[in-house]
Amino acid sequence: MSFSVVVLAAGKGTRMKSALPKVLHKVGGVPMVQRIINTVETMQASAVHLVYGHGGDLLKQQIHGNNLNWCLQAEQLGTGHAVQQAADAITDNEDVLILVGDAPLIRQQTLERLVAVKQQCDLALLTVKLDDPTGMGRIIRGDDNNITAIVEHKDATDAQRKINEINTGMMMMNGADLKHWLKSLSNDNAQGEYYLTDVIAMAASQGKTIQAAHPDEVVETEGVNNRIHLAKLERALQRWQADELMTGGATLADPARIDVRGNVTTGNDVFIDINCVFEGKVTLGNNVHIGPNCVLKDCHIADNTTIEAQTLIDDAQVGEACTIGPFARLRPGSVMHKKAKVGNFVEMKKSTLGEGAKANHLTYLGDADIGPNANIGAGTITCNYDGVNKSKTVIGENAFIGSNSALVAPVEIGKDATVGAGSVVTNKVENGALAIGRAKQRNISNWQRPQKKS
Ligand code: UD1
Ligand code: CA
């Protein structure tokens, strides 16, 4: 059966002490509310009604989804009032899944469990038991253990406050039922708010069946009210992601010291040392070895490649059995073919290193196309920028560029050509030729060194 989703995200999040609306704060590199939208999209919801209040422009810039319906709640008069803002868009004969925008770790499998429970009753609630339920809405059950109401902490009696089963804020019911009950909400309570939770007692008094579902882990339902909560959820997510990588065939030197802010897929026998950060979409082949303190973003690293410590890779394609780093930087558009090598303090940008080509030390390769087995000496610079335009350097197969050369683009170095160390090359070098572009050495015999003045 199809269902729609309402995500409550209008709260200001005062305790975040931030100019950013709370739900735009990121967990695992993704805004909290985007995470929830992504999760429900994999479940094929017919529509997602996003109730927002603060920072609408920013939200609309940053949050995306299919079938996303923006519902403004101009004044935050409570969770029931928030759902009312979506009421016009809710279809009668569809079920509605209500979620909270600041509980980003809710898993699809848990929501599917809630959906399954709803199929067997009239109203399904996601509840958990907490050691300290202070502040939460309590689940009230009758003598027969049936759920009869939710009472907010501030409205609860001392006896009710001892109940440790709480409302996570996530629930599911029929659209017509929901709209009918929303009309009867009042704000006659301790907080003067229209509580969504009041619909539970209405449902019970009409003889509706109410059942609870539970998540695998409590943390899935935890909301963020301040940056301490945010950090806690970030660690929980990172641990899940670390577990996934290990399950997928990667050894992590320390699962507590890896940060994945995107999607990483791993081959078998990958090793990832401590303090590596992964962003965007990263794919790692078999036997990839990554040293400590590397940052990999939007890249593919093929089998048997080694990335040494302190290497940064952004938007690059790395072939099989390459070695990179330590202290290397591959910027967007970098391509390394099989067995190519990039060593310490080498920067590549929009450049290709052919199979077996090497740039082992202290080099800048920008807008350069380097043929197979070429050797780029230490300190080589492709001078690709004249202050206005970028130009290309082409280096042929098996060329040898001596140390400390400046290749002033546009320029072409032929196949098997050699450039003498310290050359400034401005003209094309033919295949197999030697280019030397440097001041000729002269020696002065019996040189009298300067003497210290008395
Ligand atoms: C709510 C529940 C409580 C539950 C708790 C779980 C009600 C009345 N209470 O309490 O039973 O234990 O969540 O965290 O529902 N929101 C709006 N507009 C509003 C008010 C809230 O969009 O006018 C959104 C918030 O942005 C947030 C969610 O609704 O995402 C929950 O609001 P919050 O103020 O955190 O509710 P609690 O008082 O914690
Ligand atoms: Ca809350």
Side-chain angles (χ1 to χ4, degrees):
M1 188 185 170
S2 84
F3 65 95
S4 65
V5 180
V6 176
V7 182
L8 304 185
K12 192 169 177 192
T14 315
R15 280 179 282 163
M16 295 299 283
K17 305 241 169 103
S18 176
L20 211 58
K22 177 165 78 176
V23 293
L24 284 185
H25 284 263
K26 291 176 181 173
V27 173
V30 178
M32 290 195 271
V33 69
Q34 184 71 59
R35 227 166 233 293
I36 294 160
I37 291 168
N38 294 349
T39 303
V40 293
E41 276 188 353
T42 60
M43 299 171 67
Q44 270 137 30
S46 65
V48 178
H49 309 295
L50 181 60
V51 182
Y52 70 102
H54 296 274
D57 291 344
L58 269 179
L59 275 158
K60 285 179 181 171
Q61 275 166 26
Q62 296 188 26
I63 301 303
H64 305 282
N66 307 322
N67 307 320
L68 198 57
N69 174 36
W70 293 86
C71 307
L72 176 65
Q73 185 193 23
E75 247 190 310
Q76 281 74 57
L77 303 180
T79 51
H81 180 257
V83 178
Q84 277 168 354
Q85 310 313 303
D88 287 347
I90 291 170
T91 345
D92 282 353
N93 54 9
E94 236 184 11
D95 279 344
V96 184
L97 173 64
I98 299 172
L99 301 176
V100 283
D102 59 358
L105 297 193
I106 189 66
R107 283 185 172 128
Q108 185 188 339
Q109 66 206 56
T110 296
L111 294 180
E112 271 163 4
R113 204 173 293 154
L114 187 63
V115 171
V117 167
K118 168 62 192 67
Q119 262 141 35
Q120 283 151 28
C121 66
D122 298 315
L123 198 161
L125 286 176
L126 191 71
T127 75
V128 291
K129 288 186 175 163
L130 298 182
D131 293 336
D132 178 11
T134 308
M136 299 297 186
R138 304 301 204 282
I139 305 296
I140 311 296
R141 289 174 183 267
D143 295 338
D144 52 5
N145 208 37
N146 281 343
I147 296 172
T148 56
I150 294 175
V151 175
E152 292 305 305
H153 181 92
K154 285 186 180 150
D155 301 286
T157 63
D158 286 346
Q160 288 170 331
R161 285 185 183 179
K162 291 206 172 75
I163 297 170
N164 69 350
E165 187 184 9
I166 64 106
N167 170 35
T168 62
M170 302 182 214
M171 57 186 80
M172 193 168 197
M173 66 200 87
N174 165 265
D177 283 347
L178 172 65
K179 287 193 286 187
H180 173 67
W181 295 324
L182 286 176
K183 286 189 188 129
S184 312
L185 291 182
S186 97
N187 63 352
D188 182 15
N189 53 50
Q191 302 184 75
E193 287 181 5
Y194 295 92
Y195 292 163
L196 173 64
T197 44
D198 284 352
V199 307
I200 312 307
M202 294 178 195
S205 71
Q206 288 170 21
K208 301 278 184 186
T209 51
I210 305 167
Q211 283 176 27
H214 313 288
D216 291 322
E217 293 185 47
V218 169
V219 73
E220 289 179 60
T221 66
E222 282 182 31
V224 170
N225 291 318
N226 59 40
R227 294 179 199 245
I228 296 171
H229 299 150
L230 188 68
K232 181 185 176 195
L233 297 196
E234 179 73 31
R235 282 308 101 203
L237 175 68
Q238 291 305 339
R239 182 61 213 215
W240 291 351
Q241 294 180 147
D243 288 352
E244 262 171 45
L245 284 173
M246 292 187 284
T247 309
T251 292
L252 305 184
D254 182 354
R257 282 182 291 171
I258 177 170
D259 283 85
V260 176
R261 301 173 195 149
N263 285 305
V264 180
T265 57
T266 180
N268 292 345
D269 301 306
V270 163
F271 176 79
I272 302 172
D273 215 323
I274 57 167
N275 296 335
C276 290
V277 177
F278 297 86
E279 293 176 19
K281 189 172 185 292
V282 175
T283 54
L284 306 173
N286 295 322
N287 296 308
V288 168
H289 185 289
I290 304 175
N293 305 322
C294 293
V295 180
L296 275 71
K297 182 179 178 197
D298 295 315
C299 57
H300 172 69
I301 314 291
D303 296 352
N304 301 312
T305 282
T306 296
I307 299 168
E308 306 272 19
Q310 317 285 356
T311 292
L312 312 179
I313 299 179
D314 178 5
D315 188 9
Q317 300 294 315
V318 177
E320 284 174 36
C322 290
T323 66
I324 310 174
F327 296 98
R329 182 172 183 211
L330 269 54
R331 291 171 50 205
S334 298
V335 177
M336 292 176 68
H337 290 285
K338 208 164 142 179
K339 294 185 179 163
K341 286 177 80 174
V342 155
N344 37 217
F345 307 108
V346 171
E347 174 182 351
M348 283 180 79
K349 187 225 70 174
K350 224 178 180 182
S351 291
T352 299
L353 271 176
E355 181 173 337
K358 292 180 202 146
N360 276 335
H361 331 266
L362 298 157
T363 287
Y364 174 61
L365 302 172
D367 304 293
D369 192 351
I370 297 151
N373 297 314
N375 186 82
I376 312 295
T380 298
I381 307 286
T382 56
C383 309
N384 61 329
Y385 186 51
D386 59 12
V388 184
N389 297 305
K390 300 272 169 70
S391 303
K392 264 198 96 153
T393 300
V394 178
I395 299 174
E397 179 174 349
N398 213 33
F400 182 96
I401 312 298
S403 298
N404 201 34
S405 295
L407 311 178
V408 183
V411 71
E412 196 180 326
I413 315 291
K415 188 171 171 234
D416 299 312
T418 303
V419 170
S423 293
V424 176
V425 179
T426 52
N427 297 317
K428 178 172 177 172
V429 181
E430 299 297 338
N431 291 351
L434 167 67
I436 303 185
R438 65 190 182 212
K440 199 171 156 70
Q441 178 177 336
R442 56 188 184 116
N443 293 347
I444 298 168
S445 308
N446 302 319
W447 175 248
Q448 183 63 55
R449 290 186 185 168
Q451 307 294 306
K452 198 170 175 79
K453 287 179 185 155
S454 49

